[in-house]
Amino acid sequence: MSTSQQPDPRDRPARLTVGVVGAGRVGPALAASLQLAGHRPVAASAVSDASRRRAAQLLPDIPLVPPAEVLARADLVLLTVPDDTLPGLVAGLAETGAVRPGQLLVHTSGRYGAKVLDPALRAGALPLALHPAMTFTGTPVDVQRLAGCSFGVTAPEELRLAAEALVIEMGGEPEWIAEERRPLYHAALALGANHLVTLVAQSMELLREAGVEAPDRMLGPLLGAALDNALRSGDAALTGPVARGDAGTVAAHVEELRKHAPQTVAGYLAMARATADRALAHGLLKPELAEDLLGVLATGTDGIDGTEGDAR
């Protein structure tokens, strides 16, 4: 579904008032994006000083009120709170009568589908789960990054078109996720995006330790090419000593990491094992080289230079 040509907001008469419960990094950006599509943000709730600043920056002149008051003012309410907070928030809003019949209630959790909104559904609300597959900074750049961003969409079948339309209005690309697949969907995104940050940060620290003055400049082109190759070619893009079966090189890596950054050894070994498994399964790693390599990964440096290793 292409978003290259957005409809003129003036040609879309059914504009909505928008409220945000939880002015973290996500909610204000989505509300600001909906504002660009012609909807009207009218209220937000914010607790911390940081959330108040974000709301002021992205939604200037929008009043900050308690969550129940946000629901009282808005046709469309964005529930942008942490995953663990969401079920209790929804239950509390429903129990206190804050939810209005016909009100669009949207949460942005990747973990949950629409069923977490069942208490609000029983109160007459229209439940939508719209999760943007994007990392947010809490600054105006987030609104620009929503252009072309995929959203994991889950909703009752009768609301599917409405959910997808809202995503398109925010400049995103809707991707339908079945209710029972939401946890797997979210785990996949966490594996790819959250762990990537950890890996890159560790790599930068090690490069600094090795004497590289600008590790970000060194890694930028390399990681950009690796990501592009992986997205284009999948496992065929695997390269490096593990995919080649260079057991001696991998053993040397482990030895150096134990000396200079022992906290990275477990992660290195775990990722190397996963890489070896995939390279072997796809015919990139020769079986005759895999045995020595897997031996190194199972015991650290044991068997390569006579030292004893530990794969913990």
Side-chain angles (χ1 to χ4, degrees):
M1 188 176 294
S2 174
T3 60
S4 58
Q5 291 186 346
Q6 294 296 313
D8 188 330
R10 292 170 296 182
D11 296 334
R12 304 286 299 277
R15 299 298 87 194
L16 300 169
T17 53
V18 179
V20 179
V21 175
R25 296 182 180 184
V26 179
L30 297 188
S33 183
L34 287 168
Q35 186 173 34
L36 291 176
H39 299 290
R40 184 165 61 90
V42 293
S45 68
V47 177
S48 69
D49 290 341
S51 63
R52 290 176 177 274
R53 287 194 297 270
R54 278 190 290 267
Q57 183 178 29
L58 287 166
L59 302 171
D61 303 322
I62 299 302
L64 299 180
V65 298
E69 182 63 23
V70 174
L71 269 69
R73 299 187 184 196
D75 303 317
L76 165 63
V77 180
L78 302 172
L79 303 179
T80 51
V81 298
D83 289 358
D84 290 349
T85 304
L86 182 61
L89 172 66
V90 175
L93 291 172
E95 289 171 2
T96 58
V99 179
R100 303 198 318 270
Q103 189 169 45
L104 284 165
L105 217 55
V106 177
H107 80 70
T108 58
S109 166
R111 171 185 172 186
Y112 293 108
K115 285 190 178 301
V116 73
L117 297 172
D118 275 356
L121 173 64
R122 290 190 289 270
L126 307 178
L128 309 176
L130 307 180
H131 174 252
M134 177 61 63
T135 59
F136 288 79
T137 64
T139 66
V141 71
D142 295 332
V143 180
Q144 302 171 20
R145 287 178 174 173
L146 287 174
C149 168
S150 291
F151 280 66
V153 177
T154 306
E157 186 61 35
E158 61 271 22
L159 295 177
R160 178 169 179 163
L161 291 179
E164 292 177 345
L166 283 173
V167 170
I168 293 170
E169 285 194 318
M170 288 186 281
E173 294 281 354
E175 187 73 39
W176 188 257
I177 308 294
E179 181 78 31
E180 66 274 13
R181 295 294 186 182
R182 291 289 290 208
L184 180 61
Y185 153 80
H186 196 223
L189 294 180
L191 184 66
N194 302 156
H195 297 174
L196 176 63
V197 174
T198 300
L199 291 172
V200 173
Q202 287 184 341
S203 181
M204 291 178 66
E205 289 173 355
L206 293 170
L207 286 172
R208 290 190 189 95
E209 179 72 14
V212 175
E213 293 185 0
D216 54 342
R217 187 168 66 233
M218 177 175 284
L219 283 175
L222 174 64
L223 297 182
L227 177 59
D228 184 64
N229 290 341
L231 293 175
R232 290 174 182 271
S233 305
D235 288 298
L238 285 171
T239 185
V242 173
R244 292 192 298 266
D246 293 340
T249 298
V250 172
H253 288 177
V254 175
E255 183 179 3
E256 285 300 300
L257 292 177
R258 290 194 188 283
K259 291 178 182 177
H260 299 285
Q263 73 278 7
T264 67
V265 172
Y268 179 95
L269 291 172
M271 290 303 300
R273 289 189 198 104
T275 300
D277 289 344
R278 298 189 73 88
L280 189 60
H282 288 80
L284 301 173
L285 174 59
K286 296 178 180 179
E288 60 269 24
L289 298 177
E291 185 175 354
D292 285 345
L293 175 65
L294 294 175
V296 170
L297 298 178
T299 61
T301 57
D302 186 28
I304 297 297
D305 61 0
T307 61
E308 291 293 324
D310 183 346
R312 288 177 298 173

